[in-house]
């Protein structure tokens, strides 16, 4: 059998899935298992004045109710962002504290306030409704465009003007010089809207503590259990790495949203020792919409400078990236090093300069989703190229062919070095398959048919 590069690989896992024999986190049942339900904030921005769990604690079947105080007493650390980004002035990013259960303030709708653990799921749900939380509600900022403006609500004291970083990439002087000498400049404004992942299987976690060995096991819907174990042990402090096992069974879709370390995994693992029982949590669909990391959410102004032949001389890109209320595991890297280096695309562009502001808002955290920064960059480049071609009166396909990279290896102005490629051949084949040459005739024929039907 030929198993070389480019050969199809037959899937071996389908039979057990289509016959109902897969095993997901929710299929796992541990002896003595209890159930967790999280009390979540209904407010986007508020100070927690008081949490009264008396009624919940005495409800039927309840084993425990925990808040941030118990986590702090056990020296359980906060959730971390794993990528350090420095601003263009050299200062490190301003990361706000992110405790697994909100300690002083809630910063988005769905923020974790407390957890109720009970014998059954329904008992935990009923008791969670009895947890009384007094809030001092503040104005919230959810508009990315104005989040950095003076006088807006301050989300984290560590990040003045809600600015996490002001990052840049490329040669500003060379780019500005190219624009000064350009025959034509195209400018576009883009909104790459926020989206919510919606995997077939919601996130889930089961934490289990073994009193005999002093070790923990976490069963979780994770796309990267090795990173989960590292972060839970080395940074959050659940247990030494040799005392923590993370098991990721079948994962029913993730699209990036199940790579990150979430509060529920931390709390369920830690709480299993506190209650002396395995602790299971499975999100319902509403929880997933509220608390799973979202994706994208950019506002961008992009410019292209061309000479009189339509050759692109330079690109200038200015992006505001919404990072939500907290920095998720890889959030800081997505609109920076996973975005800026892709802004050359397949085009031979001598100068590129990119600026990105990472911004806090009172919304769910934003992290990697389906390509993580690369689709955002492609959207910017291709829309800019399309509009530039039309403004200059050129066929968009010919304009692209005119600007493709043709000599390799090719060093872009934004880090990347391309070893090989043949973009004109791929483009011409795509145009032939789509009958691009016949597009105008097909369009006219379609218009004629529509007009005749109206008559």
């Amino acid at each position: 059998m030929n198993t070389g590069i480019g050969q199809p690989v037959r899937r071996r896992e389908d039979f057990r899935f289509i016959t109902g024999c897969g095993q997901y986190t929710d299929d796992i049942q541990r002896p003595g298992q209890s159930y967790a339900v999280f009390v979540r904030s209904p407010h986007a921005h508020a100070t927690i004045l008081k949490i009264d769990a008396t009624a919940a604690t005495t409800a039927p079947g309840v084993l425990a109710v925990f808040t941030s105080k118990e986590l702090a007493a056990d020296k359980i650390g906060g959730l971390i962002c794993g990528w350090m980004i420095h601003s263009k002035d050299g200062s490190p990013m301003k990361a706000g504290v992110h405790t697994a259960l909100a300690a002083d303030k809630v910063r988005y709708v769905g923020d974790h306030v407390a957890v109720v653990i009970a014998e059954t799921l329904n008992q935990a749900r009923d008791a969670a409704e009895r947890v009384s939380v007094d809030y001092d509600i503040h104005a919230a900022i959810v508009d990315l465009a104005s989040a950095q403006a003076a006088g807006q609500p301050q989300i984290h004291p560590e990040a003045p003007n809600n600015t996490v970083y002001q990052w840049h990439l490329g040669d500003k002087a060379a780019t500005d010089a190219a624009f000064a000498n350009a025959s034509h400049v195209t400018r576009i404004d883009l909104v790459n809207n926020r989206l919510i992942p919606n995997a077939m299987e919601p996130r889930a976690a089961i934490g289990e503590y073994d009193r005999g060995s002093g070790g923990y096991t976490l069963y979780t819907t994770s796309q990267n259990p090795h990173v989960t174990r590292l972060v839970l042990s080395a940074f959050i402090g659940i247990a030494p790495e040799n005392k923590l096992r993370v098991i990721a069974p079948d994962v029913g879709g993730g699209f990036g949203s199940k790579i990150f370390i979430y509060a529920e995994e931390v709390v369920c693992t830690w709480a299993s020792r506190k209650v002396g029982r395995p602790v299971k949590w499975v999100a319902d669909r509403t929880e997933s919409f509220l608390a799973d990391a979202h994706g994208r959410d950019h506002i961008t102004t992009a410019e292209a400078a061309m000479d009189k032949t339509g050759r692109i001389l330079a690109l200038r890109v200015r992006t505001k990236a919404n990072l939500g209320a907290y920095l998720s595991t890889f959030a800081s890297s997505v609109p920076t090093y996973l975005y800026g280096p892709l802004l050359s695309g397949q085009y031979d562009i001598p100068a590129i300069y990119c600026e990105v502001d990472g911004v806090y808002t009172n919304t769910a955290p934003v992290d990697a989703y389906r390509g993580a920064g690369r689709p955002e960059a492609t959207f910017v480049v291709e829309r800019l190229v399309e509009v530039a071609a039309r403004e200059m009166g050129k066929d968009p396909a010919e304009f692209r062919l005119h600007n493709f990279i043709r000599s390799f290896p090719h060093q872009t102005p934004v880090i990347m070095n391309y070893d090989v490629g043949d973009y004109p051949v791929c483009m011409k084949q795509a145009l032939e398959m789509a009958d691009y040459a016949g597009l105008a005739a097909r369009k006219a024929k379609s218009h004629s048919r529509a007009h005749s039907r109206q008559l």
Side-chain angles (χ1 to χ4, degrees):
M1 177 181 176
N2 187 348
T3 58
I5 294 173
Q7 295 298 311
V9 178
R10 299 183 70 85
R11 290 167 57 93
R12 300 176 181 271
E13 66 270 31
D14 290 346
F15 180 78
R16 63 188 179 91
F17 288 136
I18 64 176
T19 56
C21 296
Q23 186 180 52
Y24 301 89
T25 304
D26 193 31
D27 294 322
I28 298 170
Q29 308 295 327
R30 302 301 301 157
Q33 179 175 284
S34 59
Y35 296 83
V37 169
F38 286 84
V39 178
R40 299 182 182 275
S41 170
H43 307 294
H45 196 197
T47 296
I48 300 172
L49 300 177
K50 181 181 179 182
I51 301 175
D52 185 353
T54 305
T57 304
T58 58
V62 171
L63 302 175
V65 179
F66 297 121
T67 66
S68 64
K69 292 180 179 179
E70 288 78 26
L71 284 164
D74 284 355
K75 296 181 171 53
I76 300 300
L79 300 171
I80 67 159
C81 178
W83 284 68
M84 170 56 73
I85 299 296
H86 288 82
S87 291
K88 51 194 171 187
D89 64 2
S91 62
M93 66 186 187
K94 311 300 191 298
V97 175
H98 187 189
T99 54
L101 296 175
D104 54 351
K105 292 173 69 176
V106 290
R107 294 177 169 88
Y108 69 100
V109 174
D111 206 351
H112 313 71
V113 176
V115 63
V116 176
I117 301 170
E119 296 281 358
T120 70
L121 178 58
N122 285 337
Q123 287 174 336
R125 284 175 173 164
D126 290 344
E129 293 182 0
R130 300 188 186 190
V131 176
S132 176
V133 185
D134 290 338
Y135 295 100
D136 179 17
I137 302 170
H138 308 313
I141 177 67
V142 297
D143 175 45
L144 172 60
S146 59
Q148 294 171 287
Q152 290 287 21
Q154 182 71 38
I155 298 173
H156 290 279
E158 299 89 345
N161 298 320
N162 299 317
T163 302
V164 182
Y165 52 70
Q166 294 183 300
W167 179 83
H168 71 156
L169 181 66
D171 189 331
K172 185 178 188 304
T175 302
D176 290 345
F179 271 87
N181 295 317
S183 295
H184 181 83
V185 173
T186 291
R187 181 182 185 275
I188 61 173
D189 295 310
L190 293 178
V191 174
N192 197 326
N193 61 279
R194 174 181 289 243
L195 52 79
I196 301 175
N198 190 13
M200 184 178 293
E201 178 203 24
R203 286 192 299 112
I206 305 171
E208 184 172 10
Y209 176 69
D210 186 331
R211 288 188 300 169
S213 67
Y216 295 82
T217 301
L218 169 64
Y219 303 86
T220 183
T221 48
S222 175
Q223 294 174 252
N224 200 330
H226 303 287
V227 169
T228 299
R229 186 172 77 154
L230 171 65
V231 172
L232 289 178
S233 61
F235 296 95
I236 296 175
I238 291 290
E241 197 165 349
N242 68 313
K243 293 291 186 179
L244 176 60
R245 186 183 185 197
V246 177
I247 299 175
D250 294 328
V251 177
F255 316 111
S257 67
K258 292 178 181 175
I259 298 176
F260 326 122
I261 290 80
Y262 287 95
E264 294 89 356
E265 296 165 326
V266 175
V267 172
C268 287
T269 308
W270 164 80
S272 66
R273 181 174 183 177
K274 303 293 285 187
V275 301
R277 305 265 293 273
V279 176
K280 182 175 187 176
W281 167 80
V282 179
D284 61 30
R285 192 59 65 186
T286 299
E287 278 187 298
S288 292
F289 287 157
L290 292 175
D292 289 6
H294 294 178
R296 314 285 163 83
D297 206 346
H298 287 189
I299 296 174
T300 295
T301 296
E303 299 173 284
M306 278 74 63
D307 66 16
K308 61 183 179 181
T309 72
R311 178 75 65 183
I312 301 174
L313 303 174
L315 250 60
R316 196 157 52 197
V317 178
R318 180 80 172 87
T319 294
K320 289 187 177 184
N322 194 346
L323 300 179
Y326 302 99
L327 292 185
S328 181
T329 312
F330 303 109
S332 60
S333 67
V334 176
T336 52
Y337 286 105
L338 299 185
Y339 171 74
L342 273 291
L343 288 172
S344 188
Q346 62 269 35
Y347 302 104
D348 186 1
I349 305 173
I352 299 175
Y353 182 65
C354 170
E355 295 177 288
V356 177
D357 284 7
V359 181
Y360 280 128
T361 62
N362 292 116
T363 59
V366 176
D367 210 318
Y369 175 84
R370 295 303 291 264
R374 281 83 80 171
E376 294 93 305
T378 301
F379 180 44
V380 170
V381 172
E382 292 302 327
R383 287 305 304 151
L384 189 56
V385 167
E386 184 76 15
V387 174
R390 296 183 185 193
E391 285 185 355
M392 297 192 74
K394 297 181 179 296
D395 178 86
E398 291 300 324
F399 186 83
R400 286 177 166 86
L401 287 166
H402 184 55
N403 281 286
F404 278 160
I405 301 164
R406 295 175 183 271
S407 176
F408 295 90
H410 175 81
Q411 178 63 55
T412 74
V414 279
I415 301 177
M416 305 303 292
N417 186 284
Y418 301 170
D419 57 352
V420 68
D422 198 339
Y423 309 127
V425 165
C426 294
M427 179 75 165
K428 289 174 181 177
Q429 287 181 350
L431 294 175
E432 290 173 3
M433 293 172 67
D435 187 21
Y436 185 73
L439 177 61
R442 294 199 308 276
K443 185 177 180 179
K445 186 176 181 179
S446 178
H447 179 75
S448 176
R449 286 177 177 173
H451 183 66
S452 63
R453 290 194 194 100
Q454 292 174 357
L455 295 176

